[in-house]
Amino acid sequence: MARIAIPRRGWVLVCDGAKALVLQNEGDAELVNLKLVEVLEHDGAAAHTLGTDRPGRVHQSHGDSRSAVEMVDLHDAAETAFLKRIADELGGLLQARQARSLVVVAPPKALGVLRDEFPHFLRTIVTHELGKDLVGLPIPQIERHLAGG
């Protein structure tokens, strides 16, 4: 993996559908020293507890036929709502702090949601995206991944 340069005072978002770490580089581009600024967590319930009803049925417009309606994955919808909240809160935080660069690390599916939901300001300062789930790792291991190690 190639090294990702994070300038001094550059920002890093490491997240998935349930947790987000907002980090800032207190070191320089050569020796990254990420410090935790904020943790956002989604207290999501298990998918089986979110919706316990059977799938709905639809009557056809002609005849006596009925067919099942596909259930919406409520767990997936809750994760998407959490990612939208991250995009909004991060946009406000980084605009207030006049951020100039942002590295986003998230699983590919979460990256897609974030890309769509980031306000214009955040889209302009994103310097790198990394499609990996690193949110469960300690900060020194996240630094090693970003350094290409």
Side-chain angles (χ1 to χ4, degrees), residues 33-70:
N33 182 18
L34 297 177
K35 296 295 179 192
L36 184 63
V37 175
E38 190 170 352
V39 176
L40 301 169
E41 291 188 278
H42 170 60
D43 57 337
H48 69 277
T49 62
L50 292 174
T52 57
D53 290 342
R54 292 185 357 205
R57 306 291 283 178
V58 175
H59 292 278
Q60 299 299 324
S61 60
H62 56 82
D64 294 330
S65 301
R66 294 189 303 167
S67 51
V69 177
E70 184 176 352

Side-chain angles (χ1 to χ4, degrees), residues 124-143:
T124 61
I125 66 168
V126 172
T127 57
H128 289 88
E129 293 178 343
L130 180 60
K132 289 190 171 195
D133 189 358
L134 304 180
V135 78
L137 298 178
I139 292 175
Q141 285 186 359
I142 294 171
E143 291 171 349

Side-chain angles (χ1 to χ4, degrees), residues 3-10 25-33 146-147:
R3 185 178 196 292
I4 296 176
I6 305 167
R8 177 163 176 73
R9 311 297 289 167
N25 185 13
E26 294 296 327
D28 56 23
E30 294 301 316
L31 185 59
V32 175
N33 182 18
L146 296 176

Side-chain angles (χ1 to χ4, degrees), residues 42 45-47 49-53 71-80:
H42 170 60
T49 62
L50 292 174
T52 57
D53 290 342
M71 291 281 293
V72 174
D73 185 351
L74 298 175
H75 184 72
D76 189 44
E79 285 184 355
T80 300

